Amino acid sequence: MKSYDVAIVGAGILGLAHAYAAARRGQRVVVLERDAQANGASIRNFGFVTVTGQEAGDCWEMARRARRVWGELCAQARIPILQEGLVVAARLEESLPVLDAFLAGPMGEGCRRIGHAEAAAMIPALRPEAVRAALFSPHEVRVESREAIPRLAAFLAERLGVDFKWRTAVQAVETGRLWTSAGEIAAARIVVCPGDDFSSLFADRLQAYNLTRCKLHMLRLEPQRPVRFQTALMSDQGLGRYLGYADLPEATPLKARLDREFAALRANGVHLIVTQSADGSLVVGDSHHYAPTPDPFAPEAVDRLILDEFEAVLDLEGWSVRERWVGTYASAKDSWRLTDRPMDGVRIVIVTAGCGASTAFGIGEETIAALLD
């Protein structure tokens, strides 16, 4: 029976972040993944590492730390950074006090308010009427998730000596040992990162957290003519949803107007994010529907809501849909993450919001430090 210092269950971004944190501290690490490759929320997203707009407190702090780690790792693992920065375009009068209040607070550090001309220099397709004002943040980076996650796993294996056991289901865990479909493995410390699988391991522990799942719609659009997006893009809907903005007192009138005039978008959890891939295509989303077991269907009406907001903000002179997909992730009403200690030397770690890529490396460092120190 092979022995390790640290075993990680799950090869999504949160599991890889824990593996990276442990390997950097000289630990012998194994990652166990039931699928042949990461196939869940970690690759079904924008690849948008977001700092600005994250919930105040440790979520924002974790995002700031994770952003720095992403910068280091992208260079080492040869993961291309496709975009840097964020423009939040505000076309509603009620959005302007939200921008100003955010910029006046500590989370607005390094950000600034800009007008249409400066925003359009970064995103030329912006409609003038869609930018009464805009928030510019320099902090964000964007990678192609479906490529970045495999490259990160390869880097951990080749450069840091992390063992990966793919197609290996973990059936049971106790202090110092795991039972898997490939046999027993010994590990002094174990971190379980199950994503939105709440039943395979420690179901009794996880039941206490009242977890559910969030389903989201995303699309890849092909512009008819070449366009350039220097930064990622969001709109007023994001100001009413991302808690770093939406929790501000100044956001109350904006949320009331969004509820009145954009009721269908709000009911379907739609807010606009647009990022650009290396081939010029645009990744666009998304929506949010919650259920213990989300159905697998993607109604066209929800995609249309996303695309209506897209067209209200951007003028691309034509585009076509190249891909559509849905993703799911863990969600909880009262917390954006959880760390549970079911037994000595074992931790369960789940991000219960859609910010895993933005915070995982900070969480991984925290967990591994607590286990080792």
Side-chain angles (χ1 to χ4, degrees):
M1 180 170 56
K2 193 163 184 180
S3 179
Y4 295 90
D5 298 316
V6 179
I8 311 293
V9 181
I13 186 59
L14 192 58
L16 297 182
H18 282 83
Y20 179 62
R24 286 190 67 186
R25 296 185 59 150
Q27 302 294 293
R28 293 170 298 130
V29 181
V30 62
V31 176
L32 303 123
E33 169 58 50
R34 64 186 177 186
D35 289 322
Q37 68 277 325
N39 198 46
S42 295
I43 65 162
R44 304 186 194 189
N45 57 38
F46 295 94
F48 182 37
V49 180
T50 313
V51 176
T52 302
Q54 298 291 4
E55 184 178 3
D58 72 329
C59 185
W60 180 65
E61 294 289 352
M62 288 292 176
R64 291 210 301 169
R65 175 57 189 154
R67 165 61 182 88
R68 290 192 289 270
V69 177
W70 269 111
E72 299 164 5
L73 267 176
C74 285
Q76 297 173 37
R78 298 183 180 179
I79 298 171
I81 293 177
L82 303 177
Q83 292 172 289
E84 295 188 63
L86 165 68
V87 167
V88 184
R91 66 186 186 271
L92 303 179
E93 182 69 32
E94 290 83 352
S95 294
L96 305 187
V98 182
L99 299 186
D100 292 338
F102 179 82
L103 289 168
M107 294 191 297
E109 180 184 357
C111 303
R112 54 194 173 87
R113 179 169 163 168
I114 61 176
H116 176 264
E118 193 171 354
M122 292 180 265
I123 306 174
L126 277 170
R127 296 182 184 274
E129 64 271 23
V131 188
R132 190 183 295 262
L135 171 70
F136 170 72
S137 166
H139 303 306
E140 283 62 38
V141 295
R142 196 259 163 170
V143 300
E144 194 73 59
S145 294
R146 63 181 72 183
E147 298 173 4
I149 298 302
R151 287 193 184 193
L152 178 54
F155 169 79
L156 293 173
E158 295 164 9
R159 297 280 296 276
L160 297 181
V162 174
D163 281 352
F164 281 83
K165 296 188 180 297
W166 303 100
R167 298 183 181 178
T168 302
V170 178
Q171 299 152 342
V173 173
E174 68 175 29
T175 298
R177 187 165 297 188
L178 306 93
W179 283 263
T180 84
S181 57
E184 292 183 29
I185 293 175
R189 297 165 183 87
I190 299 166
V191 183
V192 178
C193 301
D196 66 346
D197 177 0
F198 313 141
S199 57
S200 294
L201 294 171
F202 300 110
D204 55 335
R205 304 282 301 192
L206 294 177
Q207 190 172 15
Y209 290 95
N210 296 314
L211 298 172
T212 191
R213 294 178 175 88
C214 179
K215 180 181 78 171
L216 52 87
H217 288 213
M218 296 184 65
L219 308 96
R220 183 179 297 276
L221 305 187
E222 187 77 44
Q224 289 183 3
R225 297 183 181 180
V227 295
R228 178 180 62 87
F229 280 63
Q230 180 179 320
T231 74
L233 172 68
M234 297 176 64
S235 73
D236 305 78
Q237 303 297 330
L239 295 174
R241 184 170 182 89
Y242 270 63
L243 296 181
Y245 316 117
D247 280 350
L248 295 169
E250 290 81 0
T252 300
L254 172 63
K255 289 185 288 187
R257 182 173 180 182
L258 294 175
D259 288 341
R260 288 194 311 270
E261 298 183 17
F262 301 89
L265 274 72
R266 296 281 277 176
N268 288 275
V270 170
H271 70 103
L272 182 68
I273 302 178
V274 184
T275 62
Q276 188 165 41
S277 295
D279 63 1
S281 64
L282 303 175
V283 179
V284 180
D286 58 356
S287 57
H288 300 79
H289 297 92
Y290 300 88
T293 303
D295 66 56
F297 308 111
E300 177 65 22
V302 175
D303 286 355
R304 188 66 253 172
L305 290 172
I306 297 169
L307 293 172
D308 285 346
E309 180 70 4
F310 174 86
E311 290 185 314
V313 177
L314 294 162
D315 182 5
L316 293 189
E317 301 181 10
W319 47 265
S320 59
V321 177
R322 198 167 90 190
E323 283 184 307
R324 303 174 192 259
W325 66 94
V326 296
T328 63
Y329 61 79
S331 180
K333 287 185 177 180
D334 301 323
S335 177
W336 71 274
R337 64 168 173 144
L338 71 87
T339 298
D340 189 86
R341 180 180 175 174
M343 57 193 69
D344 289 345
V346 179
R347 300 291 185 273
I348 310 165
V349 185
I350 304 176
V351 175
T352 55
C355 57
S358 300
T359 59
F361 288 109
I363 297 170
E365 289 181 347
E366 176 189 80
T367 308
I368 296 302
L371 281 169
L372 297 182
D373 300 337

